[in-house]
Amino acid sequence: MRATKSLLPLLLLPLLLLVFGAASSAFHPSTPTQTSEHYKNEGRIRLEPDVPEHAFGRARHFVREGRVTPTDMLRLQIVLRHDPAAVALLEGTLLAVSDPRNTRYGQYLSINDITDMVGPDPSHAEAVRAFLLANGVPPVHIEVNKNRDIITVRLPAMLAEDMFETMLYRFRHTAKVEASFIRAINSYSLPASIAPLVAFVSELIRFPAIRDLPFVPVPHAATASSFSSGSKSNDSPSDAAFQACGHECAGYITPQVLSERYNLPASLADPCASNNSIALAEFQFQYYDRRDLFIFANTCGVDSVSVEKNYAHNAAIVCTRGGGCIESLLDIEWANVAAGGGAIPLSVYYSMQYSILDWVTAVNDNDDAELVHSVSYGNDELQQTSTEYMLSVNTEFMKAGARGISIFIASGDQGVYGREGPGNSIFHPDFPASSPWVTSVGGTDFVTPSVVGEEMAW
C-alpha cells in the first residue's frame, strides 16, 4: 500500500472526504451594532504572537508579485477560542465512545451534542460578526458553522488589510504558475474587544506545499522480460494478477493484485453493508475526467468506476491542460477498486486552496457526512507556521471521531526528514498524519517483485 497518490508499489489508498457543508448563521442579526470607527478607536492585539516576524511572506518556491488590487478577494476562516476544559471533555468522550471496553462504546454524538459541549458562547460569534458587518462585509459573505466556533468570510483583500492591520501581497509558485496565493508579509491584529475571542485567522500567513506529479517508475527489467517470455513464475495465479490490465500495465499493481492480496470484493455482486460510504478530497486543481474513469474500468475489468456526489465544481477541462487530474484520478479509481467496483458510494469534494482546516470544518458541518474519509495531503509540522492552527485542526478531528467518523491520512513519502529534507539531521513530522486523532497510513512493497506475497514497509 502507498500513502501518497501513485500507481506504484502496493497502494492501499487512504479514502477521503471534503464536504463543504452550508454553514448556518440564521441566529445572527443582519445589521451592525457598532461602526468601523468604534473599532478603530480601540487598541490592537497581535494574533499568533509565537510566529516570528521573519516568517511572514516567506515560503520556498514562491515569489512575491506585488500588492493586492481592488479586484482581489479573500476567503478566510476566523477560528474562535475554545474553553480548554470543554476540549478536554470532548477528548474524554471520544476515547470513551471509541473504546470497545467502555460502556459508552458506539454512543456517538450528534452535531448539536458537540456544539453543546465545546461551542463557544453565542455572543462570541455575534461579536465577530458585528465587527465584520461594521467594516462593510455583506451578511451573505459571512457564515458561522454549526458548532459556532469558525466563521468563514469572503471579503476584498484591501479591506482585509485594513481590518487586520497588515500588508497583503500576491505570491506565485516558481514552477506551477497557476498556483497563486495572497498572503501577509507582516503580523496581523484585531481590536482589543475582538482579539481575546479569536485563536487565529486562517489563510493569512500559511503557504500550501505544492507537490509535483506522482513519479511512476518503469518496472524492473527482469520483471518485464519474464512477462514476455511466459516463464513459470508468471503461470501462477498470483503473478498473473500483475498482467490483468494488459501489456502496458504488466508488472504494476492492478485491481486484481489488491483483491487477491487483501481479499477485497471484486464485484458489485458481492454483499456490502447498506450504510457504507467513502469520501475523497482533492485540492489545488486536482479534478477528474469521466473518460479516464471509463477507460480504467474497462481495461481492468472493474464493474463501475464512478463518483456519486461532487461537493463543489469538477472542472474536467483542466485535465487537458497538462497540469491536473493524475492524483485525483488515481484516488477515485483505486478507491472504487477497494470498494468492490463501485459497490460503496463514493463522494469527492474539491477546494482550490489547500486547507485541512477548511476541509474538516466542512465535514463537521455536514449532517450526512460520509463515515470514512481519506486525505492524501500534508505538510511538515514546521510548515504549519503556528501551534494554534494544529491545535484547532486536532479539535476538529476529535469532533469528527466523536460522531463515529473515521479519517485516514497519508503518512507521506519523504520519511522522517519530511518535505524540508535532512538539513541539520533534524526530523520533521508530517501533519496532519502526526495527529493522534486520525489513522496515519504508510506503504509497503512486495518482498518479491511482481509476486503477491509477503510485504516490506518503506
Side-chain angles (χ1 to χ4, degrees):
M1 59 185 169
R2 187 165 175 81
T4 55
K5 307 174 178 89
S6 170
L7 198 58
L8 311 172
L10 204 52
L11 168 62
L12 188 57
L13 195 64
L15 312 159
L16 82 87
L17 161 160
L18 257 222
V19 187
F20 288 175
S24 170
S25 57
F27 63 92
H28 295 299
S30 59
T31 56
T33 56
Q34 302 287 356
T35 66
S36 60
E37 289 303 315
H38 167 82
Y39 296 103
K40 289 183 182 297
N41 292 330
E42 292 186 19
R44 307 283 297 196
I45 297 177
R46 177 184 173 183
L47 272 68
E48 301 188 83
D50 60 318
V51 179
E53 285 284 351
H54 65 76
F56 289 89
R58 294 181 181 274
R60 292 178 61 188
H61 310 305
F62 279 91
V63 294
R64 188 188 304 182
E65 287 194 321
R67 292 291 300 276
V68 292
T69 68
T71 61
D72 287 322
M73 297 292 293
L74 284 178
R75 183 178 180 273
L76 304 174
Q77 288 181 296
I78 301 175
V79 181
L80 303 186
R81 292 191 181 279
H82 291 105
D83 179 354
V87 175
L89 178 60
L90 174 64
E91 178 179 340
T93 301
L94 169 58
L95 294 174
V97 302
S98 304
D99 186 352
R101 300 165 299 181
N102 195 294
T103 57
R104 297 173 62 189
Y105 176 64
Q107 298 177 19
Y108 301 120
L109 305 185
S110 67
I111 291 178
N112 288 338
D113 292 335
I114 292 173
T115 301
D116 292 340
M117 182 177 293
V118 299
D121 189 282
S123 64
H124 295 189
E126 292 280 6
V128 174
R129 191 171 187 277
F131 168 67
L132 296 172
L133 291 171
N135 281 277
V137 179
V140 71
H141 290 170
I142 305 170
E143 294 181 341
V144 182
N145 72 330
K146 293 177 180 177
N147 298 142
R148 300 194 308 263
D149 53 5
I150 297 179
I151 301 170
T152 301
V153 56
R154 187 171 182 271
L155 74 168
M158 296 182 75
L159 175 59
E161 282 190 321
D162 186 53
M163 291 173 54
F164 299 108
E165 287 198 352
T166 189
M167 293 181 64
L168 298 174
Y169 279 74
R170 180 167 292 280
F171 293 80
R172 191 170 299 277
H173 197 268
T174 54
K176 297 185 180 297
V177 295
E178 70 274 13
S180 174
F181 301 91
I182 294 173
R183 292 295 185 265
I185 65 164
N186 55 357
S187 61
Y188 67 102
S189 64
L190 281 170
S193 64
I194 302 299
L197 310 177
V198 177
F200 67 95
V201 180
S202 184
E203 311 313 320
L204 270 184
I205 62 176
R206 292 167 185 82
F207 286 84
I210 308 297
R211 298 190 299 177
D212 293 328
L213 296 177
F215 170 67
V216 181
V218 175
H220 191 276
T223 301
S225 61
S226 65
F227 283 134
S228 60
S229 65
S231 63
K232 181 178 179 180
S233 64
N234 290 310
D235 294 332
S236 69
S238 293
D239 294 337
F242 283 89
Q243 305 178 72
C245 293
H247 175 73
E248 291 186 359
C249 297
Y252 292 110
I253 302 301
T254 69
Q256 289 72 19
V257 170
L258 293 185
S259 179
E260 183 172 336
R261 179 64 177 123
Y262 298 113
N263 196 29
L264 298 177
S267 170
L268 290 170
D270 292 337
C272 291
S274 59
N275 62 341
N276 282 344
S277 53
I278 303 170
L280 305 172
E282 304 299 336
F283 307 90
Q284 300 169 348
F285 308 99
Q286 286 300 313
Y287 302 100
Y288 72 90
D289 185 335
R290 287 182 177 85
R291 179 176 178 272
D292 195 275
L293 301 185
F294 172 80
I295 292 173
F296 176 85
N298 187 60
T299 302
C300 291
V302 180
D303 280 350
S304 175
V305 177
S306 61
V307 175
E308 182 180 76
K309 291 182 182 178
N310 278 310
Y311 296 92
H313 180 54
N314 174 46
I317 189 174
V318 176
C319 297
T320 66
R321 299 176 183 171
C325 297
I326 291 180
E327 297 189 10
S328 179
L329 287 168
L330 287 171
D331 273 355
I332 295 169
E333 289 163 359
W334 289 97
N336 272 274
V337 168
I344 299 175
L346 174 71
S347 301
V348 178
Y349 211 94
Y350 293 90
S351 177
M352 280 299 229
Q353 65 179 4
Y354 168 65
S355 172
I356 293 296
L357 178 65
D358 195 19
W359 161 71
V360 72
T361 301
V363 173
N364 288 331
D365 240 29
N366 183 8
D367 290 298
D368 300 316
E370 287 79 356
L371 297 178
V372 175
H373 302 265
S374 170
V375 183
S376 297
Y377 294 77
N379 286 341
D380 293 346
E381 284 188 357
L382 187 62
Q383 293 172 319
Q384 305 302 323
T385 304
S386 77
T387 56
E388 286 284 5
Y389 181 85
M390 289 185 285
L391 290 174
S392 292
V393 170
N394 279 336
T395 299
E396 295 300 311
F397 286 157
M398 283 192 282
K399 291 182 191 177
R403 292 177 59 197
I405 294 172
S406 298
I407 297 176
F408 296 85
I409 306 287
S411 63
D413 290 342
Q414 295 81 15
V416 295
Y417 290 122
R419 289 163 176 80
E420 296 159 280
N424 300 320
S425 297
I426 296 175
F427 295 164
H428 301 121
D430 186 282
F431 188 84
S434 61
S435 170
W437 309 115
V438 301
T439 300
S440 179
V441 181
T444 62
D445 289 329
F446 285 124
V447 173
T448 304
S450 298
V451 175
V452 177
E454 293 301 315
E455 301 170 42
M456 56 183 177
W458 54 266

